[in-house]
Amino acid sequence: MMPPGSLALATPRGGRPPAARQSRFRGGKLGFSFVRLTMAFLVAAAPGRPQAQEDVPFITTPDVVTLAMLELAGVGPQDNVVDLGSGDGRIVITAARRFGAHGLGVEIVPELVAASRQHARAAGVAERAVFVEQDLFATDLRQATVVTMYLLPAVNLQLRPRLLALKPGTRIVSHDWDLGDWRPDRSLSLDVPDKAIGKDKRSTVHLWVVPAPVQGLWCSEGLRLEIAQRFQRFSASFTAAGATVPQAVVDGQVGAAELNAPGEATGTRARLRLEDAALTLAEATGALAAWQGRSFSRAGASGCARA
């Protein structure tokens, strides 16, 4: 009998419990040493070298990290979790069984795909935990609300444009490796005594929420809004018709459907809501107070006609 809350996968009587999740892309062997992992990363990141799927080895993801990844993403019954490099299926099966989510595991090794399907059947979640043998770069991610991964940094960076293009609000969780200068919205470090690599036996789990794409020029009657966006950070300038300098410049964070500029330093707070391709200044103080409630639409090829 499994202890309460155990993440161990159910197996048929007399069956052998599955090994800890092996997160991989393609190729490699169990038992890679940390030195070999480092060498694989250096080769993968070599300038001018196309990323081969053989470059990402198996790395064990302990149960405590699996659970932390899903909890950090706030996974629930409404979610569709896609695990890139799903190994024995541990993350997808846990998401389905413990959190009620639907999930897709993408794995390039046929033996691991077959084992994952068997584990899902044994856990009673085969209808909600699906596994495919597929190159992760060929995977359609558009239906995902949560993407999980434990890949090498070079592979993460190759995936980054596709992840940024997902529906705003999609959550992305990565074990240990980040996404370069796209800084995580949250990070969590935890002790992992049974971690297969590293001396300090700790893991870091990173979370990103895909921001709304709001870069560019937006127009309202007699008012122009210019937004410069870098991932989830933005700077916005509000300029009245006929003016040569902005009335206000605010900086803040872009979410799935809102832009928030707290304005502690300037005394001008702004909260913009994105809905139906329009930005509305839902809250404004200081220099923007008179324009609260204004709606902006994206500028056409000729810019803002009235500002």
Side-chain angles (χ1 to χ4, degrees), residues 20-144:
R21 174 178 182 266
Q22 307 297 335
S23 178
R24 61 171 296 153
F25 191 10
R26 175 186 281 172
K29 296 180 180 179
L30 294 174
F32 261 54
S33 67
F34 184 68
V35 172
R36 289 190 70 185
L37 171 64
T38 304
M39 290 300 295
F41 166 59
L42 292 175
V43 172
R49 183 180 185 273
Q51 177 67 49
Q53 292 194 8
E54 292 82 5
D55 288 337
V56 181
F58 286 105
I59 301 296
T60 301
T61 298
D63 285 341
V64 65
V65 179
T66 295
L67 188 57
M69 292 174 75
L70 296 171
E71 288 180 338
L72 187 62
V75 171
Q78 75 285 354
D79 281 313
N80 185 20
V81 178
V82 176
D83 187 25
L84 300 178
S86 56
D88 70 359
R90 186 161 299 257
I91 281 186
V92 173
I93 292 171
T94 302
R97 190 180 62 193
R98 185 152 180 167
F99 297 90
H102 287 76
L104 172 68
V106 180
E107 174 57 59
I108 203 69
V109 178
E111 293 81 6
L112 287 173
V113 173
S116 297
R117 291 169 178 166
Q118 180 181 351
H119 298 155
R121 288 192 295 269
V125 294
E127 292 186 359
R128 287 185 285 119
V130 177
F131 297 91
V132 295
E133 179 188 342
Q134 187 168 276
D135 180 334
L136 66 83
F137 283 107
T139 302
D140 186 351
L141 300 176
R142 289 175 296 178
Q143 300 305 311

Side-chain angles (χ1 to χ4, degrees), residues 254-303:
V254 183
E258 279 197 350
L259 290 73
N260 282 291
E264 290 98 342
T266 63
T268 296
R269 170 176 168 74
R271 181 170 62 86
L272 292 132
R273 186 175 62 249
L274 179 63
E275 188 174 9
D276 296 330
L279 275 173
T280 300
L281 189 56
E283 182 181 347
T285 64
L288 294 176
W291 290 320
Q292 182 169 310
R294 280 294 191 94
S295 289
F296 298 82
S297 57
R298 281 197 179 273
S302 59

Side-chain angles (χ1 to χ4, degrees), residues 155-192:
V155 182
N156 281 11
L157 290 178
Q158 283 189 301
L159 281 169
R160 192 172 77 176
R162 295 189 60 205
L163 297 174
L164 270 170
L166 293 176
K167 182 179 178 180
T170 303
R171 290 97 75 202
I172 300 158
V173 188
S174 176
H175 179 190
D176 279 343
W177 311 116
D178 61 22
L179 289 169
D181 56 349
W182 181 9
R183 302 302 183 193
D185 292 291
R186 287 185 61 194
S187 294
L188 173 69
S189 294
L190 58 158
D191 293 321
V192 187

